[in-house]
Amino acid sequence: MTATTPRGRAARAPRPRATALRTAALLATAVLALTACGSGGAAAGPAGPAAADAEVPTTDVVSGVTKDPAAAKLLPADVRARGTLALATSVGTPPGATYLSDGTTVAGQDIDFADAVGKVLGLKLTREVASFEAILPALDSGKYDLGTGNFGVTEERRRTIDFVTYINDGQGFAVRADSPLKKVTALPQLCGLTVATGAGTTFEATLEDNRHRCRDAGKPPYDVKTYADQGALWISLQQGRSDVVMSTINGLRYAVRQQQGLRFLNEFKRLDVGFAFKKGSPLAPAVQAAVNRLKTDGTYDRILRKWGTGASAVTTSRISPPEIR
């Protein structure tokens, strides 16, 4: 997200630290939270214009997708009859989902995949933006047919939600460029540090569930600071109030490209990501067939290339696979 050069007289070049903090603030203006893989904290409505549309690809990779009668035949009769799907979308930052500069148009990998699936099934999507934490309970109540939000497939979620996978993402870390951390392969390496992450996410749960490992090893525990506002999260890292950020692999890689003085540390754990449905939903087989059709006609790869997430490709779509261990 490149700062706009003021018109008129030339201004002094901004100091790197000030530029980095300004960029972090722009991230806060663009969105309220990362769409965490299997986590949460996404905005429930427009969060203002993105800092720069140039950082959000707008190439059309979906409009040419055509209906697949074989996939559409798998739809429940009542869905075919009404011709629509009620979709809840959690909006956060690229590459998952974000707002363009008009403050209302949504764009992102999740958006493209959902739109493409709708076209394969010959259905119109009625998309409603909802907060991450509200979507899964709303699926169970029948308010929505399906949801997107970079939902990671975990064993806990599989007990109450069905998923149709389309990518894998997962957990990772980012630090300041001057951090002595080189790679985190086990959480006790974080003992004594302050870890920033999204509030109400699986990252927070993972950190809290493993905090005892520092005590068991006779080390000082790590401190977990949670944020609903991702701009505040990144500013805390830039200003040294936190030492490391734990979030999605794809989201972290995107975010550090927009800010000076930060680096992506490493992947920690991979997770399948999928469309979410009420447990036992008859829609899942049709959506699975649609995703696999996108694989065969090349649309799948075009979406990943557009968002720079080729490393997240899956071989085939699956329904509620076991959590990646």
Side-chain angles (χ1 to χ4, degrees):
M1 297 182 177
T2 306
T4 303
T5 303
R7 294 180 180 178
R9 63 179 183 178
R12 289 183 300 172
R15 292 171 297 173
R17 183 173 179 81
T19 300
L21 295 178
R22 186 177 302 113
T23 305
L26 286 172
L27 284 173
T29 302
V31 292
L32 294 181
L34 282 165
T35 50
C37 177
S39 46
D53 278 349
E55 298 297 342
V56 181
T58 56
T59 306
D60 176 15
V61 293
V62 173
S63 64
V65 176
T66 58
K67 181 178 178 179
D68 183 333
K73 189 176 181 179
L74 297 175
L75 289 167
D78 63 324
V79 175
R80 286 202 305 272
R82 73 174 188 248
T84 62
L85 282 178
L87 168 68
T89 295
S90 173
V91 178
T93 60
T98 190
Y99 288 99
L100 298 184
S101 59
D102 60 10
T104 58
T105 304
V106 290
Q109 183 171 256
D110 285 350
I111 307 304
D112 283 343
F113 272 118
D115 288 349
V117 164
K119 285 183 170 293
V120 171
L121 297 177
L123 299 174
K124 179 181 179 181
L125 300 181
T126 56
R127 178 181 281 112
E128 181 177 318
V129 173
S131 64
F132 182 97
E133 61 273 16
I135 292 178
L136 299 186
L139 292 172
D140 190 57
S141 72
K143 182 177 181 180
Y144 306 111
D145 294 311
L146 72 164
T148 60
N150 213 30
F151 289 110
V153 182
T154 66
E155 291 304 315
E156 180 179 0
R157 285 184 175 149
R158 289 201 318 144
R159 290 197 287 269
T160 56
I161 297 292
D162 278 340
F163 295 92
V164 171
T165 61
Y166 56 97
I167 61 167
N168 72 69
D169 194 346
Q171 302 175 341
F173 296 97
V175 295
R176 293 184 301 279
D178 61 359
S179 171
L181 281 174
K182 302 302 180 184
K183 188 174 184 180
V184 177
T185 58
L187 294 180
Q189 291 174 256
L190 302 175
C191 295
L193 301 180
T194 298
V195 187
T197 195
T201 64
T202 55
F203 310 116
E204 180 185 6
T206 296
L207 290 166
E208 293 295 348
D209 290 346
N210 288 275
R211 193 194 292 266
H212 68 90
R213 297 176 63 185
C214 292
R215 183 179 63 252
D216 296 346
K219 298 179 179 179
Y222 48 72
D223 183 28
V224 181
K225 290 190 178 298
T226 60
Y227 297 85
D229 184 309
Q230 287 295 298
L233 181 153
W234 288 110
I235 290 172
S236 79
L237 182 64
Q238 293 277 13
Q239 293 183 340
R241 289 183 283 109
S242 58
D243 302 299
V244 58
V245 169
M246 185 179 188
S247 192
T248 68
I249 294 167
N250 289 335
L252 289 172
R253 283 181 166 144
Y254 172 84
V256 300
R257 288 197 298 267
Q258 315 311 312
Q259 302 177 77
Q260 295 180 9
L262 300 182
R263 59 185 168 90
F264 178 75
L265 192 59
N266 67 283
E267 296 182 7
F268 183 68
K269 178 183 179 179
R270 281 277 176 177
L271 280 174
D272 286 317
V273 171
F275 294 98
F277 303 83
K278 180 179 180 178
K279 191 70 176 177
S281 171
L283 284 169
V287 173
Q288 179 193 29
V291 174
N292 285 328
R293 152 68 192 276
L294 297 174
K295 291 280 296 182
T296 60
D297 72 9
T299 303
Y300 183 92
D301 289 337
R302 285 191 288 273
I303 292 173
L304 294 190
R305 282 198 299 270
K306 174 180 176 178
W307 296 103
T309 54
S312 287
V314 296
T315 303
T316 187
S317 176
R318 296 188 292 168
I319 297 176
S320 298
E323 180 179 350
I324 297 174
R325 297 295 187 179

